[in-house]
Amino acid sequence: MNQNIMSTDEAKEASVAELLEKLSSSERGLTASEAKERLRLYGPNEITEKKTSAIVKLLGYFWGPIPWMIEIAAVLSAVLHRWEDFAIILALLLLNVTVGFWQEHKADNAIELLKQKLALKARVLRDNKWLEVSASEIVPGDVIRLRLGDIFPTDVKLIGGDYLLVDESALTGESLPVEKHVPDVAYSGSVIRQGEMDALVVATGMNTFFGKTARLVEEAKTRSHFQKAVIKIGDYLIVFALALVAFTFLVVLFRHESMLEFFQFALVLLVAAIPAALPAVLSVSMAVGAITLAKDGAIVSKLAAVEEMAGMDILCSDKTGTITKNELVLTEINPFQDFSENDVLLFASLASRGEDRDPIDDAILARTKTLQGFSGFAETYRVLSFKPFDPVSKRTEAAIEDSSGNRFLVTKGATQAVLALLDSKVTMDSKDTSGPRVDEYINDFASRGYRALGVGRTDAQGSWHFAGLIALYDPPREDSAETIRTAQSMGVNVKMITGDHIAIAKEISRQVNLKSDIMLATSFLDMPDRKAEEIVDNADGFAQVFPEHKYHIVELLQHRGHIIGMTGDGVNDAPALKKADAGIAVAGATDAAKSAADIVLTKPGLSTIINAIKESRKIFQRMNNYALYRITETIRVLLFITLSILVFKFYPVTSLMIVLLALLNDAPIMTIAYDNVKYSDLPEKWDMRTLMSMATILGIVGVISSFGILYIGLHTFQLTPEVLQSFIYLKLSVAGHFTIFVARTKGHFWSVKPAKPLFTAIVVTQIIATLITVYGFLLPAMGWKLALFVWGYALTAFIITDFIKVRVYSLLNHTGIKFHI
C-alpha cells in the first residue's frame, strides 16, 4: 500500500482524536446495554447495501455478454414481424435472467454465511466481565484485550499493560514493527508481534483509519487456474462458433439468401455456442462445495483454494495441533543444583498465566492442581509484573514477591534462552548446569518425544540460576497415522514441519508412520537454489524450523512444480500460509493466520484436511464433466446446423428452437453442482488434451447421429419442413441431455448413480420439450408417434456413444486411475 495513504503521524492522530472526543464513557468499558445501544446507533446499514448490490447484479444479467445477443435476436424478430418469436424469446430471456440471478444470489448468501464464521473474535470487558465476542459487535467505548498474534479489529487507544510491538505494514508499507505504549493509538488491521495490553475502542468498521483507506483502494481480483481454464474453453467455443458463422455468411451471401433471417439465426447460433450457464455453474458448484466443507469443519475463505486443494500434491503439515493433539501434559521434572522438583514446578507456575489459555501454561498449572496443598503455598507469592512469551526472547518472565517481601524474577522457556541468562562463571561452577550436561537430558527427553523447557530464577543479588527442566509431551492424535496413510494413498506427500528438536520430530514421525528422513532447516539455507530444491523435495520433514524457513520451503517446492498446501496457526506462520497454493489455518489459529489462510479448520487434526481434499476433487470432477458436456454439445449442435445449411440448403431448426435448446439445457446443468461423482486417487489437473479429444470425438458422433435422424425424417417419414424441424429439435434436446450422462463418468453411464436433483431436472425439462413438440405449443405439432421414435433413436445412439466413450478413454490411457465415491 502506498505510503501516501498515511503520510504523517499527526494526520493519523488527528483522525482518531475527533473520535476520542465523541466518547462519553471513561476507560472503564461499557455495560452490555450501552454496547447494544451504540451498535444500534452506529452500526452500518447492511440491508441497504445488500439490496443495492442485488439490484446491480440483476441489471447485469440483462446487459451481460450473453443476454444482449438474445435481445438483438428479439429485435430482429420484431423487424421481420415474427411477433410470436419476439414474445417467446423475450419471455425466455426473462426466465434465464431470473434463474441465473436466483442461483447466484443463493450462492452469494451461502458464502456470506461462511464468511461470518471466519469473523475475528475479541475479548471485551462488559459488565466488568471479560467476554469473547465477534469483532463486528465491538463498539466505540469498549475495552478489549490484545495479545500476541491478534489483529487489531478496531482503532484503539492503549490504556493498560507494558508494551506492544505492532506490525503496521498493512497501513504504512513499513516492514519494521512499531513499539506502542500507554496512551498510544493503534489502528485496525495491524498485527501484534509481541506483548499484551488492554485498549479502549475509539473507531470501528469503515470509520477506522483502515476503513477510510479501503474506500480509496480497489482490491485487485485474480483468477484461479481453474477459472482461467474454463474461460479458455469458453473462448474456444466462441471462436469455433464465429468461424462457422463467418463461413455460413459467405455461402448465404453467394446464394443471395435473406440476410436479415441469417443475422437473426447467426445471433442465436452464437447464443447456443456461448456457455451461458458458466457463471452460475461456477458459483453454485463452488458454494455447494464450500458448504459441504464447512459441515466437515473446513471453512473456505477464498473459493479459488478449492481448485488448488484438488491439485495439491505436497502437504507441509505443522506438528503441534495437527498431527499431535496439542494437549500438553507435564510428564517429568528434572531439578538442577539444590532445587527440588516442587521448586521447579513453583517457579514454572509463577512464570505462567492461566487467563491467557496458553497450552504450556495450562499444562504446568494443571500439574500444580494434582499436588495437595501446592495451590495454597503458591498463593503466598505475589506476581508484580508479567512478560508474556514472544518469539524473539523465547521465554516468559515474571517479577515475584514472597510473603517476607523478598523480590526475585522467574522465567521459563526455551532451554538455550534460559541458559543464556546465566553468568558464565556461575554456569561452570554450578553442579549439572553446563551446556553439554543439559543437552544430554534434552536429548533423552526428545528421544521419547518429550519437549524440554528450562526454568530459572534470580537470587538476592539478581544473578540467574538454572532451576531445572520440565518435560512436556504432546501425543499424536489417534487418527493421525491412518489419516497420513490415506493422504499418501491419494498421491499427497505429507512433510512434517516443526520448530521442535529433531529427535522429537523423528520420534513423532515414527509413531504416525511418516518416514524418518527429517532434515534441519540449516541443511538447505546456504545452498544454491537447485541444490536446495532437491534437498527440500527429497526430505520427509523438517525440524527446528523458524517461520522464515517455512516460507522458503514452500517457495522451493513451488519452483519444483508442486502445488503446496501449508498448515499453520501462529502469527509467524502467516507469510508461509499466504505463499502456499492452499494455506490452511488449523483449529485454534490466531487471527493473523486465519486472515492469511485460504481455508480455516474448525476441527483439530489432519482428517479434516483429507475430507477437504476429497471434496475439492469432487468439485473439480463436476466442473470437468461440465466442460466436457459443454464442448461436446457445442460441436454437435453447431457443426450439424452449419453443415445442414451448407450441404442441404436447409435450416434444420429455427432461431426459436435454438433459444429453447440453450435455455432448457442450461436449467438442469446447474444441478451438476449436486451430482454424485468419483474423486481421483491422484491430484487433479486440467488435461486439455484428453478433454478436447474426447469432446471432439463425442461431438462428431453426435453430428453423425443427427444426420441419421434427418435422413429418416426426410426419406422414411417424408415429413414437411415445419414438422421436420420439430422432429430434429426434439432429437437435439433429448440427445443433448443424454450427453450429460455420457460426460459425467469415465466408465459406463451406470457406473455412478446420478444425483436426484440432476436426474429430476433432466427428466422434467425433457418432458417439457416433448410436450411442446407433441402438442404444438410454440412449435409445429408432430404427435406422440414421432416423439416416441425420437426417444428410442436418441436412447440407442446414447448407448452406442457411451461404449465409444469408454473405448476412447482406454486408448487415452486413463483406465489405470482409480476412483472412489
Side-chain angles (χ1 to χ4, degrees):
M1 197 174 293
N2 196 303
Q3 284 195 354
N4 290 332
I5 293 173
M6 184 182 290
S7 57
T8 65
D9 287 340
E10 288 78 6
K12 294 186 292 183
E13 295 291 346
S15 65
V16 175
E18 298 174 3
L19 293 163
L20 281 169
E21 292 177 2
K22 299 178 181 179
L23 292 175
S24 59
S25 62
S26 64
E27 297 172 0
R28 58 172 173 80
L30 302 176
T31 65
S33 58
E34 287 172 336
K36 185 176 181 181
E37 179 63 16
R38 282 180 180 268
L39 190 60
R40 184 186 70 82
L41 291 174
Y42 302 121
N45 190 345
E46 295 181 0
I47 297 176
T48 302
E49 292 174 3
K50 287 185 178 180
K51 283 184 177 179
T52 303
S53 63
I55 292 171
V56 171
K57 181 180 286 188
L58 183 60
L59 292 176
Y61 275 92
F62 281 98
W63 284 284
I66 297 166
W68 70 261
M69 291 186 178
I70 303 179
E71 289 163 4
I72 294 177
V75 171
L76 288 175
S77 296
V79 171
L80 295 172
H81 300 291
R82 296 181 178 177
W83 299 110
E84 289 184 357
D85 285 3
F86 171 79
I88 293 168
I89 291 175
L90 186 61
L92 291 173
L93 172 64
L94 292 171
L95 176 64
N96 187 50
V97 168
T98 303
V99 171
F101 170 76
W102 177 246
Q103 289 287 353
E104 285 207 47
H105 181 63
K106 287 200 303 181
D108 287 346
N109 285 344
I111 297 302
E112 189 62 33
L113 289 174
L114 293 180
K115 285 184 177 180
Q116 289 176 11
K117 294 185 177 181
L118 290 179
L120 299 182
K121 300 290 185 180
R123 289 184 61 80
V124 179
L125 184 63
R126 296 267 175 87
D127 295 325
N128 294 318
K129 295 180 181 178
W130 287 104
L131 306 174
E132 186 175 67
V133 302
S134 170
S136 62
E137 298 177 21
I138 299 174
V139 294
D142 270 329
V143 172
I144 62 176
R145 184 78 165 272
L146 300 164
R147 60 183 302 231
L148 172 69
D150 288 349
I151 294 178
F152 283 91
T154 62
D155 286 351
V156 299
K157 176 186 177 184
L158 301 176
I159 60 174
D162 292 332
Y163 77 101
L164 289 178
L165 202 59
V166 179
D167 179 357
E168 293 184 335
S169 59
L171 291 171
T172 65
E174 292 290 342
S175 58
L176 293 177
V178 179
E179 193 168 323
K180 300 279 187 178
H181 301 273
V182 176
D184 291 339
V185 173
Y187 300 95
S188 171
S190 303
V191 180
I192 301 174
R193 298 297 187 187
Q194 287 184 30
E196 183 173 329
M197 293 186 72
D198 294 336
L200 175 69
V201 175
V202 298
T204 61
M206 296 307 291
N207 292 322
T208 64
F209 192 89
F210 187 85
K212 292 175 181 178
T213 302
R215 296 177 190 269
L216 307 176
V217 182
E218 182 174 335
E219 182 179 356
K221 295 182 179 179
T222 58
R223 292 169 177 163
S224 69
H225 298 134
F226 165 73
Q227 290 170 319
K228 290 177 182 177
V230 175
I231 290 171
K232 284 182 180 178
I233 292 170
D235 292 342
Y236 165 79
L237 297 179
I238 294 172
V239 170
F240 177 73
L242 287 172
L244 293 180
V245 168
F247 189 66
T248 306
F249 171 76
L250 294 176
V251 174
V252 169
L253 189 65
F254 179 78
R255 293 175 180 173
H256 304 289
E257 297 177 0
S258 170
M259 296 305 295
L260 272 178
E261 184 175 353
F262 165 76
F263 280 125
Q264 183 198 32
F265 187 82
L267 280 169
V268 293
L269 199 65
L270 289 174
V271 170
I274 295 172
L278 178 62
V281 169
L282 276 171
S283 299
V284 175
S285 295
M286 293 295 188
V288 169
I291 292 169
T292 303
L293 289 175
K295 292 177 180 177
D296 290 334
I299 301 176
V300 179
S301 59
K302 300 178 182 67
L303 287 182
V306 172
E307 184 231 352
E308 305 292 4
M309 285 286 285
M312 182 179 73
D313 60 338
I314 291 180
L315 174 62
C316 296
S317 175
D318 200 23
K319 177 182 71 66
T320 305
T322 306
I323 293 177
T324 62
K325 292 182 177 181
N326 197 20
E327 296 176 0
L328 292 176
V329 178
L330 200 163
T331 57
E332 289 187 28
I333 300 175
N334 195 331
F336 282 74
Q337 302 182 45
D338 297 326
F339 296 105
S340 67
E341 290 189 9
N342 282 352
D343 290 333
V344 176
L345 183 58
L346 173 65
F347 302 149
S349 65
L350 292 174
S352 303
R353 180 181 277 184
E355 56 265 36
D356 287 344
R357 308 306 301 168
D358 181 87
I360 294 176
D361 291 1
D362 288 347
I364 294 169
L365 296 176
R367 177 63 177 269
T368 64
K369 295 176 182 178
T370 63
L371 301 178
Q372 187 175 3
F374 190 92
S375 296
F377 173 67
E379 289 175 0
T380 62
Y381 293 86
R382 187 163 67 95
V383 179
L384 302 177
S385 65
F386 182 82
K387 291 182 180 180
F389 177 86
D390 72 74
V392 177
S393 68
K394 300 187 184 304
R395 62 188 182 87
T396 64
E397 183 180 302
I400 308 298
E401 184 179 71
D402 63 18
S403 57
S404 301
N406 299 316
R407 296 187 177 188
F408 58 94
L409 300 177
V410 293
T411 187
K412 76 173 192 313
T415 307
Q416 295 305 320
V418 176
L419 285 174
L421 298 173
L422 308 185
D423 179 81
S424 59
K425 183 177 184 300
V426 174
T427 301
M428 296 308 295
D429 291 346
S430 300
K431 181 182 177 182
D432 288 340
T433 55
S434 62
R437 183 64 174 163
V438 171
D439 286 342
E440 289 180 19
Y441 286 104
I442 293 174
N443 291 333
D444 177 61
F445 285 158
S447 66
R448 290 179 282 161
Y450 298 164
R451 177 182 177 184
L453 288 184
V455 178
R457 67 154 289 171
T458 59
D459 56 23
Q461 288 74 39
S463 298
W464 283 99
H465 293 267
F466 192 83
L469 292 171
I470 57 175
L472 300 170
Y473 181 55
D474 181 16
R477 295 177 55 82
E478 290 80 1
D479 61 346
S480 288
E482 182 60 32
T483 301
I484 289 172
R485 191 179 296 111
T486 302
Q488 292 168 339
S489 69
M490 296 175 66
V492 178
N493 182 13
V494 180
K495 295 179 184 287
M496 186 176 74
I497 299 180
T498 178
D500 275 346
H501 194 279
I502 189 170
I504 296 177
K506 289 186 176 183
E507 175 61 19
I508 297 296
S509 294
R510 184 191 64 78
Q511 293 180 30
V512 297
N513 294 322
L514 280 174
K515 295 179 181 178
S516 59
D517 186 15
I518 306 297
M519 308 289 291
L520 293 173
T522 53
S523 63
F524 62 86
L525 288 182
D526 298 325
M527 294 288 182
D529 284 349
R530 181 172 296 182
K531 182 64 176 177
E533 289 171 13
E534 183 179 351
I535 292 173
V536 171
D537 201 0
N538 294 332
D540 298 317
F542 304 91
Q544 296 171 225
V545 170
F546 290 106
E548 59 269 24
H549 300 156
K550 292 184 179 182
Y551 183 94
H552 193 41
I553 289 169
V554 172
E555 189 176 42
L556 291 172
L557 289 172
Q558 287 175 332
H559 287 166
R560 297 277 285 188
H562 297 291
I563 296 179
I564 309 301
M566 166 64 76
T567 70
D569 61 354
V571 61
N572 290 323
D573 293 327
L577 292 174
K578 195 79 172 178
K579 177 66 175 174
D581 299 290
I584 305 165
V586 299
T590 62
D591 291 339
K594 290 178 182 178
S595 297
D598 304 305
I599 296 175
V600 179
L601 304 185
T602 59
K603 297 179 181 178
L606 280 175
S607 58
T608 304
I609 299 176
I610 300 302
N611 292 337
I613 294 173
K614 292 178 180 179
E615 188 60 36
S616 63
R617 291 185 184 181
K618 287 182 180 180
I619 294 170
F620 185 95
Q621 281 298 320
R622 293 185 186 111
M623 302 316 302
N624 189 76
N625 295 344
Y626 166 71
L628 177 59
Y629 158 78
R630 184 69 261 180
I631 299 172
T632 299
E633 272 301 278
T634 301
I635 294 173
R636 185 178 71 93
V637 174
L638 267 65
L639 198 57
F640 168 66
I641 293 174
T642 303
L643 291 177
S644 297
I645 296 171
L646 297 179
V647 178
F648 297 100
K649 300 181 181 180
F650 172 68
Y651 286 83
V653 288
T654 65
S655 302
L656 175 60
M657 291 175 181
I658 293 177
V659 173
L660 280 172
L661 273 176
L663 298 182
L664 285 180
N665 281 13
D666 281 348
I669 200 61
M670 289 184 185
T671 59
I672 202 170
Y674 303 91
D675 193 22
N676 299 323
V677 292
K678 296 178 175 181
Y679 65 83
S680 171
D681 266 349
L682 298 176
E684 295 281 15
K685 63 179 179 178
W686 284 99
D687 188 349
M688 302 305 288
R689 167 182 165 270
T690 300
L691 183 66
M692 300 305 297
S693 299
M694 180 59 70
T696 301
I697 292 171
L698 295 180
I700 292 174
V701 171
V703 171
I704 295 172
S705 171
S706 297
F707 275 114
I709 202 167
L710 175 62
Y711 179 87
I712 293 172
L714 281 172
H715 299 287
T716 303
F717 295 135
Q718 297 182 343
L719 302 176
T720 63
E722 292 77 13
V723 175
L724 180 60
Q725 286 178 328
S726 293
F727 187 67
I728 296 298
Y729 162 75
L730 183 59
K731 189 272 174 186
L732 292 177
S733 182
V734 173
H737 276 177
F738 279 149
T739 302
I740 296 177
F741 292 121
V742 173
R744 58 180 294 276
T745 62
K746 298 292 190 297
H748 290 293
F749 68 90
W750 62 80
S751 60
V752 180
K753 182 181 178 181
K756 287 184 180 179
L758 178 65
F759 185 79
T760 302
I762 289 175
V763 170
V764 170
T765 53
Q766 290 319 299
I767 288 175
I768 293 173
T770 302
L771 294 176
I772 287 174
T773 56
V774 168
Y775 294 107
F777 180 71
L778 305 178
L779 306 177
M782 68 178 188
W784 278 108
K785 181 179 178 181
L786 291 176
L788 292 175
F789 176 83
V790 169
W791 272 89
Y793 183 92
L795 183 61
T796 302
F798 158 65
I799 294 173
I800 294 172
T801 304
D802 189 68
F803 276 91
I804 293 174
K805 172 202 70 178
V806 173
R807 180 59 180 165
V808 171
Y809 271 125
S810 177
L811 294 174
L812 293 173
N813 299 320
H814 276 250
T815 54
I817 298 179
K818 298 178 181 178
F819 292 86
H820 301 280
I821 290 292

PDB file of all heavy atoms in Angstrom, residues 15-30:
ATOM      1  N   SER A  15      -7.112  12.192  13.058  1.00  0.00           N
ATOM      2  CA  SER A  15      -8.311  11.472  12.647  1.00  0.00           C
ATOM      3  C   SER A  15      -8.923  10.704  13.802  1.00  0.00           C
ATOM      4  O   SER A  15     -10.148  10.523  13.874  1.00  0.00           O
ATOM      5  CB  SER A  15      -7.977  10.506  11.496  1.00  0.00           C
ATOM      6  OG  SER A  15      -7.100   9.509  11.943  1.00  0.00           O
ATOM      7  N   VAL A  16      -8.099  10.219  14.705  1.00  0.00           N
ATOM      8  CA  VAL A  16      -8.608   9.459  15.840  1.00  0.00           C
ATOM      9  C   VAL A  16      -9.027  10.397  16.972  1.00  0.00           C
ATOM     10  O   VAL A  16      -9.958  10.107  17.730  1.00  0.00           O
ATOM     11  CB  VAL A  16      -7.540   8.465  16.342  1.00  0.00           C
ATOM     12  CG1 VAL A  16      -8.020   7.752  17.588  1.00  0.00           C
ATOM     13  CG2 VAL A  16      -7.224   7.452  15.255  1.00  0.00           C
ATOM     14  N   ALA A  17      -8.350  11.554  17.073  1.00  0.00           N
ATOM     15  CA  ALA A  17      -8.674  12.499  18.140  1.00  0.00           C
ATOM     16  C   ALA A  17     -10.128  12.948  18.063  1.00  0.00           C
ATOM     17  O   ALA A  17     -10.801  13.116  19.092  1.00  0.00           O
ATOM     18  CB  ALA A  17      -7.743  13.715  18.056  1.00  0.00           C
ATOM     19  N   GLU A  18     -10.627  13.116  16.825  1.00  0.00           N
ATOM     20  CA  GLU A  18     -12.022  13.513  16.659  1.00  0.00           C
ATOM     21  C   GLU A  18     -12.960  12.475  17.265  1.00  0.00           C
ATOM     22  O   GLU A  18     -13.966  12.796  17.889  1.00  0.00           O
ATOM     23  CB  GLU A  18     -12.338  13.683  15.173  1.00  0.00           C
ATOM     24  CG  GLU A  18     -11.521  14.777  14.498  1.00  0.00           C
ATOM     25  CD  GLU A  18     -11.759  14.803  13.004  1.00  0.00           C
ATOM     26  OE1 GLU A  18     -12.594  14.011  12.528  1.00  0.00           O
ATOM     27  OE2 GLU A  18     -11.122  15.621  12.310  1.00  0.00           O
ATOM     28  N   LEU A  19     -12.601  11.217  17.083  1.00  0.00           N
ATOM     29  CA  LEU A  19     -13.441  10.138  17.597  1.00  0.00           C
ATOM     30  C   LEU A  19     -13.326  10.043  19.112  1.00  0.00           C
ATOM     31  O   LEU A  19     -14.305   9.733  19.801  1.00  0.00           O
ATOM     32  CB  LEU A  19     -13.029   8.816  16.944  1.00  0.00           C
ATOM     33  CG  LEU A  19     -13.317   8.753  15.441  1.00  0.00           C
ATOM     34  CD1 LEU A  19     -12.534   7.625  14.810  1.00  0.00           C
ATOM     35  CD2 LEU A  19     -14.799   8.548  15.189  1.00  0.00           C
ATOM     36  N   LEU A  20     -12.132  10.297  19.636  1.00  0.00           N
ATOM     37  CA  LEU A  20     -11.947  10.236  21.083  1.00  0.00           C
ATOM     38  C   LEU A  20     -12.834  11.260  21.788  1.00  0.00           C
ATOM     39  O   LEU A  20     -13.360  11.016  22.875  1.00  0.00           O
ATOM     40  CB  LEU A  20     -10.476  10.487  21.432  1.00  0.00           C
ATOM     41  CG  LEU A  20      -9.523   9.299  21.242  1.00  0.00           C
ATOM     42  CD1 LEU A  20      -8.086   9.768  21.371  1.00  0.00           C
ATOM     43  CD2 LEU A  20      -9.812   8.205  22.240  1.00  0.00           C
ATOM     44  N   GLU A  21     -12.992  12.416  21.145  1.00  0.00           N
ATOM     45  CA  GLU A  21     -13.808  13.466  21.757  1.00  0.00           C
ATOM     46  C   GLU A  21     -15.272  13.055  21.861  1.00  0.00           C
ATOM     47  O   GLU A  21     -16.017  13.535  22.711  1.00  0.00           O
ATOM     48  CB  GLU A  21     -13.679  14.749  20.935  1.00  0.00           C
ATOM     49  CG  GLU A  21     -12.289  15.379  21.012  1.00  0.00           C
ATOM     50  CD  GLU A  21     -12.172  16.606  20.128  1.00  0.00           C
ATOM     51  OE1 GLU A  21     -13.189  16.968  19.497  1.00  0.00           O
ATOM     52  OE2 GLU A  21     -11.090  17.206  20.069  1.00  0.00           O
ATOM     53  N   LYS A  22     -15.708  12.154  20.940  1.00  0.00           N
ATOM     54  CA  LYS A  22     -17.105  11.744  20.916  1.00  0.00           C
ATOM     55  C   LYS A  22     -17.437  10.695  21.967  1.00  0.00           C
ATOM     56  O   LYS A  22     -18.608  10.393  22.210  1.00  0.00           O
ATOM     57  CB  LYS A  22     -17.471  11.195  19.523  1.00  0.00           C
ATOM     58  CG  LYS A  22     -17.311  12.231  18.410  1.00  0.00           C
ATOM     59  CD  LYS A  22     -17.643  11.607  17.072  1.00  0.00           C
ATOM     60  CE  LYS A  22     -17.458  12.613  15.936  1.00  0.00           C
ATOM     61  NZ  LYS A  22     -17.752  12.008  14.618  1.00  0.00           N
ATOM     62  N   LEU A  23     -16.405  10.103  22.578  1.00  0.00           N
ATOM     63  CA  LEU A  23     -16.644   9.036  23.543  1.00  0.00           C
ATOM     64  C   LEU A  23     -17.128   9.622  24.862  1.00  0.00           C
ATOM     65  O   LEU A  23     -16.455  10.447  25.477  1.00  0.00           O
ATOM     66  CB  LEU A  23     -15.365   8.223  23.775  1.00  0.00           C
ATOM     67  CG  LEU A  23     -14.893   7.386  22.572  1.00  0.00           C
ATOM     68  CD1 LEU A  23     -13.568   6.735  22.894  1.00  0.00           C
ATOM     69  CD2 LEU A  23     -15.914   6.345  22.207  1.00  0.00           C
ATOM     70  N   SER A  24     -18.304   9.169  25.273  1.00  0.00           N
ATOM     71  CA  SER A  24     -18.866   9.680  26.525  1.00  0.00           C
ATOM     72  C   SER A  24     -18.394   8.876  27.723  1.00  0.00           C
ATOM     73  O   SER A  24     -18.426   9.348  28.854  1.00  0.00           O
ATOM     74  CB  SER A  24     -20.395   9.638  26.459  1.00  0.00           C
ATOM     75  OG  SER A  24     -20.828   8.312  26.242  1.00  0.00           O
ATOM     76  N   SER A  25     -17.977   7.635  27.478  1.00  0.00           N
ATOM     77  CA  SER A  25     -17.575   6.778  28.590  1.00  0.00           C
ATOM     78  C   SER A  25     -16.102   6.983  28.910  1.00  0.00           C
ATOM     79  O   SER A  25     -15.328   7.420  28.086  1.00  0.00           O
ATOM     80  CB  SER A  25     -17.823   5.308  28.247  1.00  0.00           C
ATOM     81  OG  SER A  25     -17.037   4.948  27.142  1.00  0.00           O
ATOM     82  N   SER A  26     -15.739   6.657  30.148  1.00  0.00           N
ATOM     83  CA  SER A  26     -14.332   6.703  30.539  1.00  0.00           C
ATOM     84  C   SER A  26     -13.680   5.387  30.169  1.00  0.00           C
ATOM     85  O   SER A  26     -14.290   4.552  29.512  1.00  0.00           O
ATOM     86  CB  SER A  26     -14.241   6.938  32.054  1.00  0.00           C
ATOM     87  OG  SER A  26     -14.806   5.833  32.739  1.00  0.00           O
ATOM     88  N   GLU A  27     -12.430   5.196  30.625  1.00  0.00           N
ATOM     89  CA  GLU A  27     -11.714   3.975  30.265  1.00  0.00           C
ATOM     90  C   GLU A  27     -12.104   2.826  31.176  1.00  0.00           C
ATOM     91  O   GLU A  27     -11.273   2.119  31.722  1.00  0.00           O
ATOM     92  CB  GLU A  27     -10.206   4.256  30.318  1.00  0.00           C
ATOM     93  CG  GLU A  27      -9.777   5.314  29.312  1.00  0.00           C
ATOM     94  CD  GLU A  27      -8.339   5.735  29.475  1.00  0.00           C
ATOM     95  OE1 GLU A  27      -7.673   5.209  30.378  1.00  0.00           O
ATOM     96  OE2 GLU A  27      -7.862   6.573  28.707  1.00  0.00           O
ATOM     97  N   ARG A  28     -13.380   2.632  31.346  1.00  0.00           N
ATOM     98  CA  ARG A  28     -13.875   1.560  32.204  1.00  0.00           C
ATOM     99  C   ARG A  28     -14.561   0.467  31.388  1.00  0.00           C
ATOM    100  O   ARG A  28     -14.924  -0.578  31.917  1.00  0.00           O
ATOM    101  CB  ARG A  28     -14.907   2.116  33.194  1.00  0.00           C
ATOM    102  CG  ARG A  28     -16.086   2.788  32.505  1.00  0.00           C
ATOM    103  CD  ARG A  28     -17.196   3.159  33.477  1.00  0.00           C
ATOM    104  NE  ARG A  28     -18.234   3.936  32.816  1.00  0.00           N
ATOM    105  CZ  ARG A  28     -19.181   3.427  32.069  1.00  0.00           C
ATOM    106  NH1 ARG A  28     -19.217   2.126  31.842  1.00  0.00           N
ATOM    107  NH2 ARG A  28     -20.091   4.192  31.512  1.00  0.00           N
ATOM    108  N   GLY A  29     -14.798   0.709  30.113  1.00  0.00           N
ATOM    109  CA  GLY A  29     -15.564  -0.231  29.317  1.00  0.00           C
ATOM    110  C   GLY A  29     -17.051   0.046  29.441  1.00  0.00           C
ATOM    111  O   GLY A  29     -17.493   0.808  30.300  1.00  0.00           O
ATOM    112  N   LEU A  30     -17.837  -0.561  28.591  1.00  0.00           N
ATOM    113  CA  LEU A  30     -19.281  -0.324  28.555  1.00  0.00           C
ATOM    114  C   LEU A  30     -20.039  -1.441  29.246  1.00  0.00           C
ATOM    115  O   LEU A  30     -19.528  -2.548  29.413  1.00  0.00           O
ATOM    116  CB  LEU A  30     -19.756  -0.222  27.106  1.00  0.00           C
ATOM    117  CG  LEU A  30     -19.117   0.865  26.229  1.00  0.00           C
ATOM    118  CD1 LEU A  30     -19.646   0.747  24.818  1.00  0.00           C
ATOM    119  CD2 LEU A  30     -19.389   2.242  26.791  1.00  0.00           C
TER     120      LEU A  30
END
